[in-house]
Amino acid sequence: MLRVFGGLPDMRPNPSKTGYFVLEGLNSFSTAFFFNYLLFLLRDVHGFGNLQNLITGAVHGLIYTVGSWYGGRFGQRHGYFTSLRVGFAGLAVSIGIGALVPALWGQLLALGGWTLAVCFTWPMLEALVSERESAERLPHRVGMYNVVWALTAAMGYSMGGWIYEHFGRVSLYALPMAIHAGQFLATWPLKARHEAWIARAPAIAPTTAVHTESIRPQYFQRLAWAANPLNYMAANTILAVVPGIASHVGLTVPEAGLVMSVWFYVRAAVFAKLWWWTGWHYHFGWFLAGLVLLLVGFVGVLAAPWVWMLVLAQIAFGWASAILYYSSLYYAMDGSDSHGADGGIHEALIGMGICGGPAISALGQWLTGNPMAPAWSVTAFLVGGVALAFRIRSRGLRKLGEVLTADGRG
């Protein structure tokens, strides 16, 4: 990948950070495989339908919200690598519980522990990729981070159905456990390499941005942090009902993995585009287009009666998901000096969406009994998100105008 995209030597990731991208890719592949195909197991073995999977997804998101906020603070206080070790060990142990206790309570206990453990990994990986980067290099670090996790998540989802079908239930536990054990062991050499790099890396000079420039990141950070929960509300509602969608349109588990991974791959491709083209930075139009396309793609995926319509809707949804996620992470890291804590906030906001989408969908379906209730319930929030974006923009522009007037430039 570096040879393909690395045309400028100063834009290539420092070799000392390659290990973090490897950890990130393994984490993304493993977590995408385990969580999403656990939902199929709950359908096939324990008789879960859309409502039960939505409730499971909501509880998972609630744990993730609280855990990510704490995980970011824990890593900032106790060290990134300490947090990673806690996370990787917790992931392996939790999955082991699921392997040893096939009863429903064992699977749900494993999922709860797994969710809490993963909260100690993502904020730290984001922080390590962003740490001590200049303003010129940071967009490229964040860009590569996004492409790596999105592409490996797509591989985990599209390949996972085949793995689960051919190697059986044991693969759902054995493969992720092996990956997380390897990640845990890798933290020791990576920590030694990190400390050596920090010792010789030049200090990053503080930015000398004028007063008005400091407002723009705050204004867009609020926009992105408001939109990314909506992004994950839609995404995790879709993920929770994929087993139901597969049954409805007649897809086997491997076929569902291939068909429903389209938006994963589209998201990865758009991440690559946004990585190398920075014209979208701090432009409201691109952000608004992402919100509107998210709404259209979400309704299309849940309402599509045929596979070809399902694929077309996923193209729109994947594009929208990419711009909204990328905005949230980039604006969180741009100008930040506490990457671990800010990464935790970024992940906690994701958790709010992971919880909120399935919870609202489950409530709507329980109250109405309508299988399309998840689509219309979450759609209402997405429409509200568009209105909220305009409100945040209006307040941000007004504040910017006040500063320009005070500085004599209005």
Side-chain angles (χ1 to χ4, degrees):
M1 183 178 291
L2 296 182
R3 291 175 182 171
V4 175
F5 292 111
L8 299 174
D10 63 322
M11 294 305 182
R12 295 177 181 175
N14 186 298
S16 65
K17 292 201 172 184
T18 302
Y20 309 148
F21 291 113
V22 173
L23 285 185
E24 173 206 356
L26 291 172
N27 219 41
S28 185
F29 180 95
S30 177
T31 54
F33 172 60
F34 177 75
F35 177 76
N36 290 297
Y37 288 96
L38 180 64
L39 296 177
F40 278 94
L41 182 144
L42 293 175
R43 182 198 69 177
D44 297 338
V45 177
H46 300 287
F48 274 33
N50 281 350
L51 180 60
Q52 291 81 7
N53 271 345
L54 285 166
I55 294 172
T56 301
V59 175
H60 158 68
L62 181 61
I63 297 171
Y64 192 87
T65 301
V66 178
S68 293
W69 179 82
Y70 177 77
R73 292 169 63 89
F74 178 90
Q76 198 69 44
R77 181 176 302 172
H78 299 286
Y80 298 157
F81 289 94
T82 299
S83 182
L84 287 176
R85 288 166 188 165
V86 170
F88 295 143
L91 287 167
V93 170
S94 298
I95 294 171
I97 292 173
L100 295 173
V101 185
L104 178 59
W105 70 266
Q107 302 307 300
L108 297 180
L109 179 63
L111 178 59
W114 176 92
T115 302
L116 185 60
V118 81
C119 298
F120 289 82
T121 63
W122 287 123
M124 300 309 107
L125 292 169
E126 293 160 5
L128 285 167
V129 166
S130 304
E131 189 179 33
R132 295 176 70 89
E133 295 296 340
S134 66
E136 292 75 20
R137 289 178 62 93
L138 181 63
H140 293 272
R141 295 290 199 195
V142 174
M144 188 171 198
Y145 176 89
N146 286 338
V147 171
V148 168
W149 77 255
L151 184 59
T152 49
M155 294 169 62
Y157 200 94
S158 61
M159 297 169 58
W162 184 89
I163 294 171
Y164 181 75
E165 185 83 359
H166 285 76
F167 295 98
R169 181 174 178 268
V170 66
S171 66
L172 186 64
Y173 309 105
L175 180 57
M177 284 178 66
I179 289 174
H180 296 313
Q183 290 175 299
F184 177 78
L185 295 175
T187 58
W188 272 271
L190 284 174
K191 182 181 180 182
R193 193 176 186 184
H194 176 79
E195 291 173 344
W197 175 72
I198 289 294
R200 70 173 187 270
I204 300 299
T207 59
T208 57
V210 298
H211 186 55
T212 55
E213 290 178 341
S214 68
I215 293 173
R216 293 180 68 203
Q218 294 172 11
Y219 148 42
F220 276 87
Q221 186 182 81
R222 292 189 190 98
L223 276 174
W225 279 3
N228 210 28
L230 297 173
N231 179 17
Y232 274 82
M233 283 179 68
N236 279 71
T237 298
I238 289 174
L239 293 176
V241 301
V242 162
I245 292 174
S247 298
H248 176 68
V249 298
L251 297 174
T252 65
V253 175
E255 289 171 346
L258 290 173
V259 171
M260 295 305 297
S261 67
V262 169
W263 75 270
F264 283 76
Y265 282 106
V266 171
R267 180 176 60 182
V270 176
F271 276 161
K273 173 64 177 178
L274 298 177
W275 175 17
W276 289 100
W277 178 68
T278 60
W280 61 273
H281 289 181
Y282 301 110
H283 285 281
F284 182 72
W286 284 101
F287 186 85
L288 179 63
L291 271 177
V292 173
L293 206 55
L294 183 78
L295 193 159
V296 173
F298 173 75
V299 174
V301 169
L302 292 192
W306 300 292
V307 171
W308 70 266
M309 290 182 65
L310 196 58
V311 170
L312 191 62
Q314 285 185 78
I315 294 173
F317 188 81
W319 193 96
S321 183
I323 187 69
L324 295 177
Y325 178 90
Y326 208 136
S327 297
S328 179
L329 182 58
Y330 176 71
Y331 298 143
M333 294 299 170
D334 188 25
S336 169
D337 294 320
S338 53
H339 292 124
D342 284 349
I345 294 171
H346 166 77
E347 293 296 328
L349 289 168
I350 288 175
M352 291 173 61
I354 293 173
C355 174
I360 293 164
S361 299
L363 181 62
Q365 187 167 334
W366 178 70
L367 289 175
T368 66
N370 187 336
M372 283 304 296
W376 309 129
S377 301
V378 175
T379 295
F381 276 82
L382 297 181
V383 171
V386 174
L388 178 61
F390 277 104
R391 178 173 175 80
I392 292 173
R393 179 175 183 261
S394 176
R395 294 182 64 181
L397 291 176
R398 185 167 61 249
K399 185 177 180 181
L400 180 61
E402 292 172 353
V403 172
L404 288 172
T405 300
D407 288 348
R409 285 177 281 172

